[in-house]
Amino acid sequence: MFAPDIILAAVLNGLMTGSVYALIALGLTLVYGVLHIINFAHGATLTAAMFAVYVAHTVFRLDPYLALVIVTPLFFGLGYGLQRFVIGPASHGEDRNILLVTLGLSILIENAMLAMFRSDTRSIDVPYAFSSIDLGFTFLALPRVLAFGVALLVALLLGLLLTRTDTGKAIRAVAKEKTGAALAGIDVAHIYAVTFGLGAACVAIAACLLMPTFYVTPRAGNAFVLVAFTIVVLGGMGSIPGALIGALFIGVVESLCGLFFGESLGQIGIFLIFILVLLVKPTGLFGARA
Amino acid sequence: MNATRAYLPAVALLLLAGLIPVLVAANTVLNFIVFTLIIALAAQGWNLLGGFGGQFSFGHAAFFGTGAYATAILQARYGVNAWAGFAIGIALSAAVGWMIGYLSFRSGLRGSYFALVTLAFAEVFRILANASAFTGGAAGTLVRLDMRPENFQFASRAVFVWIALALVGFVLIMTIAIGRARFGAWLAAVRENEDAARALGVDVLGVKLKAITLSAGVTGAAGALYVQYYLYLDANIAYGAWISVEALIAPIIGGIGTPLGPVIGAVTLHGLGELTKLFAGRIPGIDLVIYGALLVAAIAFAPDGIMGLLRKAQRRKDADKATDQNVTEGTL
Amino acid sequence: MILSVNTVTKRFGGLVAVDAASLSVAPGSITGLIGPNGAGKTTLFAVIAGFERASNGRVVFDGHDITAEPAHLRARRGIARTFQIVQPFAGLSVVENIAVGAYLRHAGRDAAQEKAREVADLVGLSAMLGQPASALTVSGRKRLELARALATQPTLLLLDEVLAGLNPSEIRDMIPVIRQIRDGGVTILMVEHVMQAVMSLCEDIHVLAQGRIIAQGTPGEVAENTAVIEAYLGHGAARRLHAAGAAHA
Ligand SMILES: Nc1ncnc2c1ncn2[C@@H]1O[C@H](COP(=O)(O)OP(=O)(O)O)[C@@H](O)[C@H]1O
Ligand SMILES: [Mg+2]
């Protein structure tokens, strides 16, 4: 069928795509782990971040990697505010309401992008878009290699933040037992918002890493987030290592499916995995939390 | 509440709505009404499962699309009569509903998980329909234009309004009847607390399966109606997220778990949508921005939707009347 | 015997919640199941009613082996249970809550509603029929729990601490209600911590401790049983108690 180096190249490419998936999935799984809800606005947040990077580049001539320094804190703040002042108060503490409120926000944000930017496909030109690294048997696109490195670094930093800092400990306490945490003096509403902010920041970083090689439309985020849902379910809802491994795995599966079956059916493969995992073992393959 | 009082408002509303095509002949108005009724029907389907049964589907497009594609393909490819195609389309979407329900409810999926899995099924169907030659791929499927009643095509839009109204009315009355029957009580029990329901002899899986099958059939009918009216279909119309979203928002805005809620919600949403277009011009997506904002606002401020607000106002009026009476009685 | 539990074991992972427990309930009786907290009483109820699968052993009801039957079918056979932690349908009114139970034997709306009203009357909820269940007090919720189960017209009623959380006067009101239910032909198996109620209501008592049945007999026999006193009050308690009793005498 295919020569080994073609397959190896596909695997490497899959790993690099997977690393960006990982960032998106990390945000999703973090929010799930703490608030125990699925943030359906995650995709729209990614889209918004991609447009932010696009605007930063076309209007302010800012390189996407430099924009990272601005867009990430900006989205942290947006995520924080959204949870603290919209999602939290609007849902009256009911999970089902959070589900619907985040769905409403996603519809709102996505279509606001559509109203502002229309449905055209937009991309930015950066001089290094086609730079690549020669591995002998294949070329790897430099921006994707960079994305891989940054994504892993961010995952590592996030892990450190959760285990080594006071905020991280508070987040984990709330995730485990929110009433107990509240009794211990932790401001649960604040921690929820911080978690949401972190989720949005992850997505903002992903947007910066994606834009040099990818394009944005008002629906661009959705495709990624559906994949991220799959990853999060696969890795075990709320599990950070699960999201990381799941993302790399899905990246490779997608790349190989694309190689063997063509693009659109490659996507089907992901959804079928998703449905199967949900139906057979909703706690995730890598069996994190029950 | 006695039986007459339960059905009266619905029947009166239907009869009034039936008069509209007699009074208004403008095509744009009739178009608007048919489209709104199609959405209302899809939303009525969602409401049976989501509102009465508490299982929130984010993928009712799977049923809308199946009803639509089946009706279209049976006519276009196999020369099946349109009315028969319509009926088979409904049956097939009900079957798809049963299948998705069986797979997910048997695995114990609830809440976000159920929402996710329905979303994923709808997406799988969309991608398959978009890629497969059988459904006409990305180019879509056309139903041959031949305006004859036996083809479920009518030269007069008024007839279509009546047919759509009849379907919405039928489901409305069916929903009221369910709400007053044992099945409705069991659905509510399953929604409120599955363990307690089981303890009282409710077959939780069976009740959910019945609900999703019925729900899918109704939303499938909306899809079938859509294709008979527009005579064209592609994967993004049939299985696109737009219809999943419409089917879910309308009942929540109108009043979740109430028979009239989905209809009131659909009319409100599309009325507002048209108004925005009037004022803001044809900016793409602007109506959906409003839908999204309304969904958030409804959950924040009116969790029982418009019906809930109406009920509250009614109660306040009754209470006022009562106090007035007391006051007069007191003074006398 | 209307119910026989034969060497039923229930494990949760490594934890043995019920350990080869056997008991039987005579038709028409009020049988008690007592034991310290965490003894496995609620778990045993869950196994009998079909909410937990027994890891081992058999449950026989009315001559039928129901060990593998799902909960709703057991309810149809005539087993009804209440929940120690009350589980009202919070969004429904009191009468709607009870009607869900009544629909098990009455397909029509009017018949079910009438049955619901009748049961509400029996447990003293008639004044609150139209109220949302979420508006009930603790004692109201306990009554609702009982009413819903009764509305299914069971032959065996499993009551899990229906008196817990009630004040003494409410308990005094409930005791005759329970007796009246039994006199109406319903066999009752009850878990209860309120000893005065157990002693006055039950003809036969089984004692569960750490998952095992450690004693069985009439209220008088059980109260005298050394193993039972030790299970409740700790090792050596029986001896100290007897010594104290002797000193008084
Ligand atoms: N679903 C469950 N999973 C794990 N352990 C359980 C579960 N239900 C009960 N247990 C454990 O089984 C033991 C018996 O509990 P329970 O039956 O509630 O006791 P009781 O009703 O006599 O107070 C306890 O140690 C409890 O923690
Ligand atoms: Mg207990």
Side-chain angles (χ1 to χ4, degrees):
Chain A
M1 298 250 313
F2 291 102
D5 14 337
I6 295 185
I7 293 181
L8 186 60
V11 169
L12 286 177
N13 268 305
L15 283 176
M16 286 181 294
T17 316
S19 68
V20 178
Y21 288 162
L23 273 182
I24 302 166
L26 278 178
L28 204 56
T29 210
L30 190 64
V31 170
Y32 184 88
V34 177
L35 282 81
H36 305 291
I37 55 109
I38 290 167
N39 174 14
F40 274 92
H42 205 58
T45 313
L46 175 60
T47 311
M50 288 165 89
F51 272 117
V53 176
Y54 172 80
V55 170
H57 185 266
T58 46
V59 180
F60 303 106
R61 303 262 143 250
L62 211 57
D63 181 87
Y65 294 115
L66 284 178
L68 194 146
V69 193
I70 299 166
V71 176
T72 309
L74 177 72
F75 270 73
F76 175 84
L78 281 176
Y80 185 98
L82 216 51
Q83 164 60 29
R84 185 99 205 216
F85 304 113
V86 181
I87 303 173
S91 41
H92 312 293
E94 267 190 51
D95 286 1
R96 182 178 290 173
N97 287 344
I98 305 181
L99 195 72
L100 293 174
V101 170
T102 58
L103 178 72
L105 284 174
S106 117
I107 296 166
L108 198 161
I109 297 170
E110 185 182 307
N111 287 285
M113 296 294 144
L114 179 65
M116 277 191 277
F117 298 98
R118 304 299 153 104
S119 54
D120 311 334
T121 301
R122 291 162 197 266
S123 55
I124 55 179
D125 278 323
V126 286
Y128 46 80
F130 297 101
S131 315
S132 56
I133 299 172
D134 187 354
L135 289 186
F137 62 94
T138 185
F139 292 94
L140 292 178
L142 184 63
R144 288 164 59 86
V145 176
L146 263 175
F148 185 72
V150 174
L152 291 190
L153 184 68
V154 169
L156 186 73
L157 288 177
L158 195 63
L160 285 177
L161 182 129
L162 284 177
T163 48
R164 297 290 156 84
T165 66
D166 284 347
T167 309
K169 281 174 193 150
I171 290 178
R172 287 189 302 146
V174 171
K176 241 199 204 112
E177 181 46 71
K178 78 170 177 210
T179 7
L183 285 176
I186 296 173
D187 180 353
V188 173
H190 170 71
I191 291 299
Y192 274 4
V194 168
T195 311
F196 234 87
L198 286 174
C202 284
V203 153
I205 298 171
C208 297
L209 299 179
L210 275 172
M211 279 313 282
T213 53
F214 207 70
Y215 55 86
V216 55
T217 72
R219 310 209 187 285
N222 282 345
F224 284 98
V225 168
L226 278 168
V227 177
F229 278 145
T230 313
I231 291 162
V232 167
V233 168
L234 197 65
M237 294 270 203
S239 155
I240 288 191
L244 207 57
I245 300 168
L248 298 177
F249 174 73
I250 286 289
V252 172
V253 167
E254 187 190 46
S255 173
L256 289 178
C257 280
L259 183 64
F260 289 110
F261 308 117
E263 280 282 330
S264 66
L265 289 182
Q267 248 189 322
I268 289 262
I270 292 180
F271 282 115
L272 289 181
I273 292 179
F274 177 57
I275 292 173
L276 271 179
V277 173
L278 266 180
L279 294 181
V280 177
K281 197 164 181 298
T283 47
L285 281 190
F286 306 111
R289 53 173 67 217
Chain B
M1 190 171 15
N2 65 30
T4 341
R5 249 191 89 188
Y7 293 97
L8 199 64
V11 174
L13 208 72
L14 283 171
L15 292 178
L16 275 180
L19 285 179
I20 296 175
V22 182
L23 305 173
V24 188
N27 271 345
T28 43
V29 175
L30 296 184
N31 261 337
F32 167 79
I33 294 176
V34 171
F35 185 67
T36 304
L37 285 172
I38 290 172
I39 300 300
L41 190 60
Q44 284 179 305
W46 187 92
N47 192 41
L48 277 169
L49 180 67
F52 287 82
Q55 314 299 315
F56 284 14
S57 151
F58 282 13
H60 256 50
F63 315 134
F64 184 88
T66 301
Y69 265 119
T71 307
I73 292 173
L74 282 170
Q75 292 174 72
R77 276 187 176 259
Y78 301 105
V80 173
N81 169 272
W83 292 92
F86 189 81
I88 300 173
I90 294 174
L92 278 178
S93 38
V96 167
W98 183 88
M99 183 203 73
I100 292 179
Y102 183 77
L103 291 174
S104 31
F105 293 142
R106 210 196 35 158
S107 315
L109 297 185
R110 296 192 226 174
S112 325
Y113 287 97
F114 179 68
L116 271 179
V117 86
T118 48
L119 182 88
F121 271 113
E123 271 302 290
V124 168
F125 286 165
R126 190 182 63 79
I127 297 168
L128 282 178
N130 204 41
S132 146
F134 181 67
T135 51
T141 296
L142 279 167
V143 174
R144 204 161 50 83
L145 180 75
D146 184 0
M147 296 266 189
R148 280 182 300 165
E150 59 265 41
N151 291 340
F152 205 136
Q153 294 180 31
F154 306 92
S156 147
R157 282 175 214 268
V159 177
F160 230 98
V161 171
W162 284 319
I163 290 180
L165 257 181
L167 281 166
V168 168
F170 173 77
V171 176
L172 182 58
I173 287 168
M174 178 181 81
T175 310
I176 297 175
I178 287 176
R180 296 169 54 80
R182 169 155 79 177
F183 177 55
W186 282 350
L187 258 181
V190 167
R191 175 190 69 214
E192 297 288 325
N193 190 325
E194 289 191 13
D195 274 343
R198 279 201 293 160
L200 300 175
V202 178
D203 175 6
V204 172
L205 178 63
V207 166
K208 284 186 186 173
L209 280 180
K210 246 195 216 165
I212 196 173
T213 307
L214 204 59
S215 167
V218 171
T219 301
L225 197 62
Y226 180 98
V227 90
Q228 283 312 116
Y229 190 67
Y230 293 98
L231 302 177
Y232 170 76
L233 201 61
D234 68 24
N236 289 322
I237 296 173
Y239 289 122
W242 74 279
I243 185 66
S244 297
V245 165
E246 294 257 10
L248 167 149
I249 295 189
I252 292 176
I253 301 285
I256 187 166
T258 63
L260 261 180
V263 183
I264 306 252
V267 173
T268 309
L269 282 178
H270 285 271
L272 278 176
E274 289 302 311
L275 278 182
T276 354
K277 275 185 206 149
L278 214 61
F279 287 114
R282 297 216 158 252
I283 302 172
I286 197 78
D287 46 346
L288 281 162
V289 170
I290 298 203
Y291 293 2
L294 270 180
L295 177 58
V296 176
I299 289 160
F301 305 112
D304 295 318
I306 296 170
M307 292 298 286
L309 294 179
L310 289 178
R311 241 178 288 138
K312 227 186 259 167
Q314 177 69 38
R315 231 176 288 143
R316 204 167 303 140
K317 226 164 72 189
D318 289 352
D320 284 351
K321 234 186 255 162
T323 44
D324 281 353
Q325 258 166 20
N326 286 346
V327 171
T328 38
E329 275 162 23
T331 46
L332 282 175
Chain C
M1 289 296 137
I2 187 169
L3 174 77
S4 320
V5 173
N6 300 324
T7 56
V8 160
T9 297
K10 176 66 199 176
R11 285 184 212 97
F12 293 113
L15 180 100
V16 186
V18 177
D19 190 358
S22 298
L23 62 81
S24 51
V25 176
S29 69
I30 299 182
T31 301
L33 178 62
I34 63 171
N37 271 327
K41 304 178 297 290
T42 297
T43 305
L44 185 55
F45 264 26
V47 170
I48 297 171
F51 282 75
E52 296 284 0
R53 212 25 109 68
S55 317
N56 244 322
R58 297 190 321 134
V59 180
V60 178
F61 175 69
D62 232 359
H64 302 278
D65 186 333
I66 57 167
T67 317
E69 228 172 46
H72 69 275
L73 292 184
R74 299 192 199 197
R76 260 170 228 186
R77 279 193 189 280
I79 299 180
R81 72 170 291 192
T82 65
F83 291 90
Q84 180 181 353
I85 300 161
V86 292
Q87 311 274 346
F89 302 124
L92 306 186
S93 70
V94 168
V95 69
E96 285 168 335
N97 263 269
I98 308 175
V100 173
Y103 272 122
L104 183 61
R105 314 272 177 218
H106 304 272
R109 176 186 176 83
D110 293 339
Q113 297 249 329
E114 193 186 309
K115 178 75 197 168
R117 270 180 247 279
E118 178 194 317
V119 173
D121 212 28
L122 179 67
V123 303
L125 278 175
S126 324
M128 294 131 198
L129 287 177
Q131 278 185 24
S134 50
L136 291 178
T137 59
V138 175
S139 125
R141 284 169 197 226
K142 292 276 181 181
R143 283 167 199 269
L144 181 61
E145 197 69 31
L146 179 60
R148 270 191 334 201
L150 262 186
T152 64
Q153 293 171 258
T155 45
L156 174 67
L157 181 58
L158 309 173
L159 301 179
D160 197 349
E161 302 203 22
V162 284
L163 301 179
L166 303 194
N167 66 37
S169 97
E170 289 166 337
I171 291 175
R172 228 173 309 141
D173 293 343
M174 280 296 267
I175 287 178
V177 172
I178 293 172
R179 201 170 278 134
Q180 204 182 334
I181 292 168
R182 192 271 305 272
D183 294 342
V186 182
T187 306
I188 294 175
L189 175 60
M190 62 188 298
V191 166
E192 199 47 72
H193 277 307
V194 181
M195 276 310 144
Q196 147 218 6
V198 175
M199 293 299 164
S200 80
L201 281 170
C202 301
E203 289 113 45
D204 185 23
I205 295 178
H206 299 261
V207 187
L208 200 63
Q210 294 177 332
R212 295 174 188 225
I213 298 282
I214 55 164
Q216 183 259 322
T218 63
E221 288 164 4
V222 167
E224 293 291 307
N225 189 303
T226 314
V228 175
I229 296 165
E230 302 221 326
Y232 271 95
L233 302 177
H235 188 65
R239 199 163 21 92
R240 288 197 302 276
L241 223 74
H242 282 263
H248 276 289

